[in-house]
């Protein structure tokens, strides 16, 4: 009789009952269902038409996220380890402009939970932490894979302690203003200081510390449209930022959103989420759930 490998996953995959499916999803189980809310879109996109370095698109948004559990287990067969079983959910994210209901973003993808003691190479986790991954695609030929840790949390989501601004987050900030990256070659001493943006920073404050060329699109004191001759022109003759060039023409950006100055929103859009949470805390709402810290990386191909 040939030897039977008990570590093989079953070739027959049947969806169990809902209670079992939720248990198998672990920390991701609470995602199941339909979620709706409001938000803010900030994206620096290409602008071939105007021949500028970027177009800074800004929109107040409405968002719908639908998570559907994958009932059956997902076999993952590898060369470096025995077969493992994954569990997950599919998702569909749809974002529209809050002003005109125009479509802005659509993204199908999958969230999975993987066993922390059976990864290759090994990535042990300590309970109640769980290894998770997100796979997403958007209709521009782009895809992403981000991996990390999910773990429970309690208490308000906003912290003010330096270096730990968000409850449970491994990242000190989600500031969106760009920063320059020095050449890969190690410079002779003293090496230049690289400023990675943290809460409260801005493009205007960061660029001189690199030093690096500024991005006028992120500075709301510079009107969108033609830039008059001066410190920025040359090289920048045109400031391409919403609402410049929109068709039909969109109204000017508001001075503030929910009491937060628009420049602060551009620097760090997550301030809008913080404000929503502060309002809920003021109404005596309590918080508990799962925090997910994931990240991805890119590598320059030579």
């Amino acid at each position: 009789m040939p030897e039977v490998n008990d570590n093989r996953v079953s070739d027959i995959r049947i969806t169990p009952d809902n209670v079992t499916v939720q248990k198998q999803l672990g920390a991701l189980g609470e995602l199941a269902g339909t979620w709706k809310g409001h938000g803010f879109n900030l994206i620096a996109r290409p602008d071939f038409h105007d021949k500028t370095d970027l177009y800074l698109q800004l929109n107040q948004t409405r968002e719908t996220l639908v998570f559907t559990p994958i009932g059956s287990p997902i076999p993952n067969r590898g060369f470096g380890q025995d077969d493992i079983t994954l569990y997950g959910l599919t998702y569909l994210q749809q974002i529209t402009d809050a002003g005109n209901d125009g479509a802005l973003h659509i993204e199908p993808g999958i969230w999975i939970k993987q066993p922390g003691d059976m990864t290759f190479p090994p990535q042990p986790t300590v309970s109640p932490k769980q290894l998770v991954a997100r796979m997403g695609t958007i209709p521009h030929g782009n895809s992403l894979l981000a991996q990390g840790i999910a773990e429970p949390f309690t208490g308000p989501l906003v912290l003010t302690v330096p270096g730990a601004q968000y409850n449970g987050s491994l990242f000190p900030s989600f500031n969106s203003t760009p920063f320059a990256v020095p050449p890969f070659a190690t410079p002779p001493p003293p090496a230049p200081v690289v400023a990675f943006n943290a809460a409260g920073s801005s493009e205007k404050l960061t660029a001189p510390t690199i030093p690096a060329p500024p991005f006028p699109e992120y500075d709301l004191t510079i009107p969108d449209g033609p830039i008059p001759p001066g410190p920025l022109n040359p090289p920048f003759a045109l400031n391409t930022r919403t609402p410049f060039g929109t068709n039909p023409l969109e109204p000017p950006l508001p001075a503030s959103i929910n009491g937060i100055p628009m420049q602060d929103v551009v620097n760090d859009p997550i301030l809008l989420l913080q404000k929503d949470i502060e309002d809920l805390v003021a109404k005596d709402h309590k918080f508990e759930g799962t925090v997910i810290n994931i990240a991805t990386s890119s590598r320059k191909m030579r």
Side-chain angles (χ1 to χ4, degrees):
M1 294 287 293
E3 182 179 350
V4 176
N5 182 355
D6 291 334
N7 290 325
R8 288 183 181 274
V9 296
S10 173
D11 289 317
I12 300 176
R13 299 184 290 279
I14 300 174
T15 301
D17 60 90
N18 288 338
V19 174
T20 302
V21 171
Q22 285 292 110
K23 182 178 179 181
Q24 291 169 337
L25 289 173
L28 298 180
E30 297 295 330
L31 290 176
T34 299
W35 303 78
K36 294 187 177 184
H38 61 270
F40 185 79
N41 170 67
L42 181 152
I43 181 171
R45 58 174 173 80
D47 187 15
F48 179 83
H49 179 81
D50 294 305
K51 302 296 188 297
T52 61
D53 56 345
L54 60 88
Y55 187 103
L56 187 63
Q57 182 175 337
L58 307 169
N59 310 83
Q60 295 186 68
T61 62
R62 297 188 183 97
E63 180 174 349
T64 300
L65 263 168
V66 180
F67 294 91
T68 305
I70 301 171
S72 61
I74 306 165
N76 195 55
R77 303 178 176 94
F79 292 104
Q81 63 183 41
D82 282 320
D83 297 347
I84 63 174
T85 300
L86 310 174
Y87 299 95
L89 313 92
T90 62
Y91 73 86
L92 179 64
Q93 180 185 41
Q94 294 174 287
I95 301 176
T96 59
D97 187 294
N100 55 33
D101 287 324
L104 288 176
H105 180 81
I106 185 167
E107 179 186 319
I110 296 176
W111 279 92
I112 61 167
K113 177 182 77 73
Q114 58 192 108
D117 58 345
M118 295 189 66
T119 58
F120 186 77
Q123 299 181 55
T125 57
V126 179
S127 182
K129 295 182 179 181
Q130 297 176 0
L131 282 170
V132 297
R134 171 186 169 190
M135 295 164 279
T137 58
I138 59 174
H140 299 292
N142 296 38
S143 62
L144 67 92
L145 169 62
Q147 294 180 288
I149 299 293
E151 58 183 312
F153 76 92
T154 57
L157 299 173
V158 180
L159 300 181
T160 57
V161 179
Q165 190 164 353
Y166 310 107
N167 191 352
S169 176
L170 298 179
F171 307 98
S173 173
F174 298 95
N175 194 305
S176 61
T177 50
F179 57 88
V181 177
F184 288 103
T186 303
V193 176
V194 180
F196 289 89
N197 284 335
S201 64
S202 67
E203 194 279 333
K204 183 182 288 187
L205 295 174
T206 301
T209 68
I210 304 298
F215 287 88
E217 298 89 348
Y218 286 79
D219 185 350
L220 298 190
T221 65
I222 304 173
D224 65 283
I227 299 176
L232 292 174
N233 181 9
F236 299 101
L238 192 62
N239 188 9
T240 44
R241 179 185 63 231
T242 302
F244 177 79
T246 52
N247 184 19
L249 185 65
E250 296 183 10
L253 297 171
S256 64
I257 300 177
N258 201 12
I260 301 174
M262 194 66 199
Q263 182 65 71
D264 292 344
V265 173
V266 170
N267 292 346
D268 194 352
I270 207 168
L271 291 174
L272 296 172
L273 175 61
Q274 289 181 319
K275 184 62 167 60
D276 283 347
I277 294 169
E278 290 169 2
D279 292 343
L280 291 173
V281 171
K283 296 176 182 177
D284 203 31
H285 286 263
K286 307 300 181 185
F287 295 88
E288 65 177 4
T290 299
V291 61
I292 301 175
N293 288 283
I294 58 173
T296 187
S297 63
S298 62
R299 178 176 298 176
K300 183 178 180 180
M301 304 300 292
R302 297 182 182 275

